[in-house]
């Protein structure tokens, strides 16, 4: 069979634009020149990039075809644990693209951008209300940068007291960014072993918390999808030794309008707007990791800050104790607008309901798959549930095989092999935006794959079979990446 444009049904093969181009093709007709020809100045002419000649249809098809190689929340269920890959309402995209928002210059005089500043100011207030904290900076561009901001605030706080603290406590279930952020600020991460039930035992903190330790970084709900019930007790132990409590709020999708983090004893926390508050993510696009603090730490927040003075919104730089600037201008403005729209559209009652549904959906999956897969911790979960690969051992198939076979069935695989404390972890986060029928279908597919494991384990070890590329040699792909096609 001659090779046509489609190599596997409608999965289209696609050459590079350079291979596709033909000299003389063009996507645009220039009008006849009516001015004298002028040579390009030498310093601009150079060896410039060698662009291929292409027609409009070449370009449109090229990029449209490439876009079909991708899987996203607009294509299907994306149950990637610890990532909250939920569906993002399109209205928020539309509003963020309004010219008055997307084209406003960040150096506009305050009087000309009161509405833009009002959005930022009110978003700060909403996030404070949702978390229970006192003050917010919208500057950080991602969760990890929010953590860095938090650790810089920890460092500034201890410097202001004239104290030198060198260690920080971090549970072994934490996201890898936690110890990295702490280390960047000069703190040595001390790993805390989580208990047999997957949560932190306050006695472990009691043993290790001392006056050389800046405090603790605690993710709640944690990355096993479990609520750290001893958080208040842990916070009291840390505070008793003069330390601070950092809350990693990346899992806020489970607890919006339900948990008051200040009452839990948290002093600084970040949120991931691109997880919980409606910004598409996963492709490396912009995010936002606002940082929320208690009143006593407000003076350390990044500058500039947006404040209200006599009914006007002003950009305030005069905070001598501030840790400074972490991002150009006001942060990733478009992401902040999406979060603002999402929060306004949902309202307090529906934000809470979203969290309740996210938790319900995860527990439904946990319950329905508990016999087919081995539950890592057999107790109710929050927004995600974690299974181990134990029940797959007898078929000699692995978590990876299950994940790859899910691709054949049209699902993005869940998070696998994380958190590290669960052998062969399979971490499923359905989010609130999946309906009962879609979740039932996902459950049925997982069960079908497990029965396939009993019949044809080899086929599973070769999966995926219905994709453009089959099972890749991941080591080779990482060591010798081929980036041109
Ligand atoms: C996603 C995540 C982070 C990091 O957030 P980024 O926006 O990817 O930098 C930190 N902690 C937890 C628990 C997360 O799930």
């Amino acid at each position: 069979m001659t090779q046509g444009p489609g190599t596997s049904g409608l999965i289209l093969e696609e050459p590079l634009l350079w291979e596709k181009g033909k000299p003389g093709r063009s996507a645009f007709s220039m009008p006849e020149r009516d001015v004298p020809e002028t040579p390009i100045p030498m310093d601009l002419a150079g060896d410039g990039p060698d662009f291929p000649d292409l027609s409009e249809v070449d370009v449109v098809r090229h990029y449209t075809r490439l876009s079909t190689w991708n899987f996203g929340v607009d294509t299907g269920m994306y149950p990637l644990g610890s990532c909250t890959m939920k569906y993002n309402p399109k209205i928020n995209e539309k509003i963020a693209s309004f010219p008055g928002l997307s084209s406003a210059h960040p150096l506009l005089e305050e009087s000309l951008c009161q509405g833009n500043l009002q959005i930022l100011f009110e978003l700060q207030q909403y996030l404070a209300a949702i978390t229970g904290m006192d003050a917010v900076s919208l500057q950080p561009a991602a969760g990890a940068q929010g953590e860095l901001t938090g650790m810089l605030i920890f460092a500034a706080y201890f410097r202001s007291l004239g104290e030198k603290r060198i260690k920080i406590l971090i549970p072994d279930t934490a996201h890898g960014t936690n110890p990295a952020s702490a280390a960047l600020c000069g703190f040595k991460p001390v790993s805390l072993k989580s208990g047999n039930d997957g949560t932190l035992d306050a006695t472990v903190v009691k043993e290790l918390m001392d006056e050389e330790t800046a405090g603790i970084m605690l993710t709640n709900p944690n990355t096993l999808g479990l609520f750290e019930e001893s958080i208040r007790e842990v916070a009291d132990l840390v505070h008793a030794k003069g330390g601070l409590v950092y809350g990693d709020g990346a899992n806020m999708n489970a607890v919006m309008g339900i948990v008051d983090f200040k009452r839990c004893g948290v002093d600084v926390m970040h949120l991931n707007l691109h997880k919980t508050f409606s910004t598409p993510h996963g492709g490396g696009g912009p995010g936002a990791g606002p940082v929320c603090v208690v009143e006593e730490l407000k003076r350390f927040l990044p500058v500039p800050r947006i404040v209200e003075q006599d009914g006007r919104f002003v950009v305030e730089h005069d905070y001598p104790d501030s840790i400074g600037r972490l991002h150009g201008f006001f942060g990733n403005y478009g992401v902040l607008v999406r979060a603002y729209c999402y929060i306004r559209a949902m309202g307090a009652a529906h934000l809470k309901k979203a969290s309740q549904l996210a938790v319900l959906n995860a527990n439904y999956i946990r319950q329905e798959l508990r016999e087919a897969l081995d539950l890592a911790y057999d107790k109710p979960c929050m927004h995600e549930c974690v299974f181990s690969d134990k029940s797959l051992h007898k078929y000699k198939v692995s978590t990876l095989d299950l994940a790859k076979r899910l691709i054949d069935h049209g699902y993005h695989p869940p998070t696998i092999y994380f958190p590290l404390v669960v052998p062969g972890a399979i971490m499923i986060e359905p989010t609130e935006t999946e309906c009962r029928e879609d979740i039932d279908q996902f459950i049925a597919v997982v069960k079908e794959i497990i029965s396939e494991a009993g019949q044809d384990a080899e086929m599973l070890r070769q999966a995926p079979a219905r994709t453009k590329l089959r099972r890749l040699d991941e080591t080779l792909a990482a060591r010798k990446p081929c980036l041109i096609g």
Side-chain angles (χ1 to χ4, degrees), residues 18 22 34 49 51 78 111 128 136 142 161-163 172 184 191 196 206 220 225 265 272 332 350 360 376-377 415:
W18 279 267
K22 279 266 159 31
D34 59 357
F51 287 119
Y78 203 136
S111 64
V136 178
L161 297 178
E163 284 185 31
D172 54 5
L184 276 175
S191 178
N196 291 336
K206 192 165 189 186
N220 208 7
N272 294 52
N332 283 328
H350 286 99
L360 179 66
Y377 299 95
T415 293

Side-chain angles (χ1 to χ4, degrees), residues 273-319:
L273 298 191
H274 46 290
K275 289 180 180 168
T276 317
F277 298 96
S278 185
T279 277
H281 68 118
V291 166
C292 317
V293 296
V294 290
E295 189 65 35
E296 301 76 65
L297 298 175
K298 194 168 150 183
R299 62 195 173 108
F300 299 112
L301 280 177
V303 281
R305 305 204 49 224
I306 317 295
V307 294
E308 192 179 13
Q309 272 171 14
D310 309 324
R312 296 180 49 75
F313 302 99
V314 294
V315 182
E316 202 46 88
H317 288 266
D318 190 19
Y319 290 92

Side-chain angles (χ1 to χ4, degrees), residues 82-83 142-145 147 175 177-178 219 223 248 250-251 270 272 274-275:
S82 204
C83 292
Q145 208 191 14
E147 295 167 26
H175 199 269
T177 48
N178 284 195
T219 307
T223 57
D248 179 331
N251 294 333
H270 82 262
N272 294 52
H274 46 290
K275 289 180 180 168

